C-alpha cells in the first residue's frame, strides 16, 4: 500500500535518480537501529522456505536479487529484510569507472520493462572489497558478479577477470562471470568458446578456495553459440545464470528501437524461460533463472523449466519492495 502511494512520486523522477533515492533510503535504514526490522515488518510476512541446497550453499528461499541493483555492495546488510533468499551484487570491474553518460536508464511502464545502458558504472574491485570487509556478512548467500572495464582488449580479458576475482574472492559465496552485458563494446564476443574457456580457466586458476563460479549468458546468442558456451561451462564453471538483458525490442513500442541498451522485465519472460529449458536439456549444472519474473507463477515456471534458483530486478521496480516476499510465499505454498 505504501509503495502504491509512493511509486507515482518515484516514477515522476528520472529512473536513475529514483534508483539513487531508493538506494539512499535503504542505506539510511541499514544504519538506523531497528531499520532492518522496520523494513521487514513493512514488507509483510516472510516466506517459510522453500529452502534450497545448491552450489554447496544453503538458500533460505530460492528468490534472489539480480545483478545491477546494488552494483557496489552498499546495501547487502539491508536487502535481506525484503525477503531475498540470496543477493548478487555487481557487476564489479577491476578499476573504478563511471559508466556511460546519463541518461542511461529508462522505464517502459506500459510494458513493465526497463531499457538500460549503464555501461558498468563501478567503484572498482578494491573499493567494493574494502566495503564488504568492513561490514558483517549478509544473512543470506552473497554472489559477486564480475564485469570488465571498457576498452580492455579481448586478449587481456582473462587476466582482468582473474584479478577482479582475486580481489573479491574471500567476500563472496559464489561468483558470476558476466560476458553478456550489451553495454560494453565487444564484451559479448567473449561468449565465444575460445575466449570463454580462457577467461574461466584464468578465474579458476585464481580460485584456491574453490568457490562456485557461474557464467551469465545473453538471451541473444545464436542456438549453436549458446550450446557451445554451455559446453565450455560444463568443464570450467559450476553453474549458469540465464539470462542477461536483450538487445531485442519485442514487446515494447517501436520508439525504443532507437534507444541503445538492454531490455529487461516482462518482455523477456518467454525468451528467458525458453533458454532455461534449452540449457537444462544440455547440462546438469545448476541454473539461476532470471528475466521478467514478477509473480510466484513466473518463478514457478522458471523452476519447472529447469532453474534451481531465480532472481529479479525489474519486477522490484514495478512490483515494489513487498514483491520478493510475495513471490517466495507463493513458492512456499
Ligand atoms: C538497470 C540495470 C542494470 C543492470 N546491471 C547489470 C550488471 O551490472 N550485471 C549483470 O550481470 N546484469 C545486470 N543487469 C541485468 C539483470 O541482472 C537481469 O539479468 C536482467 O535485468 C533480467 O532480469 P529482470 O527482468 O528481472 O530485470 C542489469 C539490469 C538492469 C535493469
Amino acid at each position: 500500500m505504501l509503495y502504491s502511494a509512493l511509486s507515482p512520486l518515484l516514477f515522476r523522477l528520472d529512473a536513475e535518480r529514483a534508483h539513487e533515492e531508493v538506494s539512499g533510503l535503504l542505506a539510511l535504514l541499514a544504519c538506523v537501529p531497528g531499520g532492518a526490522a522496520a523494513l521487514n515488518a513493512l514488507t509483510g510476512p516472510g516466506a517459510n522456505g522453500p529452502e534450497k541446497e545448491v552450489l554447496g550453499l544453503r538458500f533460505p528461499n530460492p528468490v534472489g536479487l539480480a545483478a545491477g541493483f546494488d552494483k557496489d555492495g552498499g546495501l547487502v546488510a539491508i536487502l535481506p529484510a525484503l525477503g531475498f533468499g540470496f543477493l548478487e551484487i555487481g557487476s564489479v570491474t577491476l578499476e573504478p569507472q563511471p559508466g556511460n553518460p546519463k541518461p542511461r536508464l529508462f522505464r517502459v511502464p506500459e510494458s513493465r520493462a526497463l531499457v538500460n545502458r549503464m555501461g558498468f558504472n563501478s567503484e572498482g574491485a578494491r573499493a567494493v572489497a574494502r566495503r564488504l570487509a568492513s561490514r558483517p556478512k549478509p544473512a543470506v548467500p552473497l554472489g559477486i558478479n564480475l564485469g570488465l572495464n571498457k576498452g580492455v582488449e579481448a586478449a587481456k580479458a582473462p587476466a582482468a577477470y582473474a584479478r577482479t576475482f582475486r580481489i573479491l574472492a574471500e567476500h563472496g559465496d559464489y561468483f558470476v562471470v558476466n560476458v553478456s552485458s550489451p553495454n560494453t563494446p565487444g564484451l559479448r564476443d567473449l561468449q565465444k568458446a575460445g575466449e570463454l574457456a580462457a577467461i574461466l580457466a584464468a578465474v579458476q586458476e585464481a580460485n584456491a578456495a574453490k568457490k562456485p563460479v557461474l557464467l551469465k549468458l545473453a538471451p541473444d546468442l545464436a542456438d549453436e553459440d549458446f550450446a557451445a558456451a554451455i559446453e565450455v561451462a560444463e568443464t570450467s564453471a559450476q553453474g549458469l545464470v540465464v539470462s542477461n538483458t536483450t538487445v531485442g525490442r519485442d514487446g515494447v513500442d517501436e520508439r525504443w528501437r532507437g534507444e541503445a541498451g538492454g531490455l529487461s522485465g516482462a518482455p523477456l519472460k518467454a525468451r528467458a524461460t525458453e533458454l532455461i529449458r534449452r540449457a537444462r536439456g544440455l547440462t546438469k549444472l545448476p541454473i539461476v533463472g532470471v528475466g521478467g519474473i514478477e509473480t510466484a507463477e513466473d518463478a514457478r515456471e522458471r523452476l519447472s523449466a529447469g532453474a534451481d534458483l531465480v532472481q529479479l530486478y525489474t519486477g522490484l521496480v514495478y512490483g515494489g519492495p513487498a514483491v520478493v516476499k510475495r513471490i517466495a510465499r507463493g513458492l512456499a505454498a
Side-chain angles (χ1 to χ4, degrees):
M1 262 167 68
L2 195 61
Y3 193 69
S4 319
L6 274 178
S7 60
L9 295 175
L10 274 178
F11 276 40
R12 238 185 269 165
L13 298 175
D14 157 77
E16 186 168 354
R17 174 80 199 287
H19 179 71
E20 285 165 2
E21 295 296 335
V22 168
S23 299
L25 185 65
L26 288 170
L28 186 70
L29 279 173
C31 299
V32 190
L39 185 64
N40 189 7
L42 271 174
T43 49
N48 202 356
E51 265 189 43
K52 283 253 176 171
E53 187 99 27
V54 188
L55 302 164
L57 301 166
R58 199 192 66 81
F59 295 79
N61 74 66
V63 186
L65 176 71
F69 185 89
D70 185 12
K71 296 237 185 208
D72 298 309
L75 303 173
V76 299
I78 190 80
L79 287 168
L82 296 183
F84 286 113
F86 65 110
L87 306 174
E88 188 174 313
I89 65 163
S91 294
V92 184
T93 54
L94 178 57
E95 304 299 340
Q97 65 172 28
N100 285 326
K102 296 177 185 177
R104 54 193 182 175
L105 174 60
F106 308 91
R107 296 182 200 91
V108 192
E110 68 279 10
S111 304
R112 299 190 311 287
L114 296 171
V115 170
N116 94 82
R117 51 168 178 271
M118 304 299 288
F120 289 160
N121 49 312
S122 173
E123 288 180 5
R126 290 171 198 85
V128 173
R130 268 197 304 276
R131 176 174 298 117
L132 294 174
S134 71
R135 300 185 185 172
K137 280 209 78 166
V140 295
L142 178 67
I144 304 181
N145 182 305
L146 311 173
L148 187 69
N149 285 109
K150 188 175 175 182
V152 174
E153 46 191 279
K156 300 211 167 118
Y161 277 102
R163 285 183 66 193
T164 315
F165 171 78
R166 205 173 284 120
I167 292 166
L168 291 159
E170 68 180 281
H171 305 294
D173 297 306
Y174 76 87
F175 289 81
V176 178
V177 169
N178 176 15
V179 281
S180 49
S181 163
N183 301 312
T184 294
L187 188 82
R188 288 174 303 151
D189 294 339
L190 302 176
Q191 291 175 112
K192 286 191 208 125
E195 280 78 358
L196 199 52
I199 292 169
L200 289 172
V203 170
Q204 296 292 13
E205 207 178 297
N207 190 5
K210 299 259 176 276
K211 299 259 170 115
V213 175
L214 283 66
L215 172 66
K216 185 164 180 178
L217 293 170
D220 307 316
L221 285 171
D223 291 357
E224 59 275 20
D225 295 336
F226 186 75
I230 290 177
E231 205 178 314
V232 173
E234 282 263 280
T235 52
S236 42
Q238 283 68 50
L240 300 170
V241 183
V242 181
S243 74
N244 216 313
T245 55
T246 176
V247 293
R249 289 294 182 264
D250 287 351
V252 293
D253 187 85
E254 279 283 305
R255 73 197 156 95
W256 292 102
R257 290 192 188 280
E259 201 69 73
L263 174 70
S264 60
L268 207 54
K269 270 181 216 236
R271 179 75 182 149
T273 307
E274 179 199 328
L275 288 177
I276 291 164
R277 193 165 288 123
R278 191 173 308 158
R280 183 45 77 225
L282 294 166
T283 180
K284 291 197 164 62
L285 286 174
I287 297 174
V288 180
V290 53
I293 295 175
E294 309 175 284
T295 63
E297 203 41 55
D298 292 333
R300 201 171 289 120
E301 196 177 88
R302 303 311 191 283
L303 296 169
S304 307
D308 299 275
L309 300 165
V310 295
Q311 294 178 321
L312 70 157
Y313 180 159
T314 307
L316 195 59
V317 173
Y318 292 103
V323 76
V324 184
K325 289 180 185 170
R326 212 153 49 227
I327 294 173
R329 281 198 310 268
L331 288 179

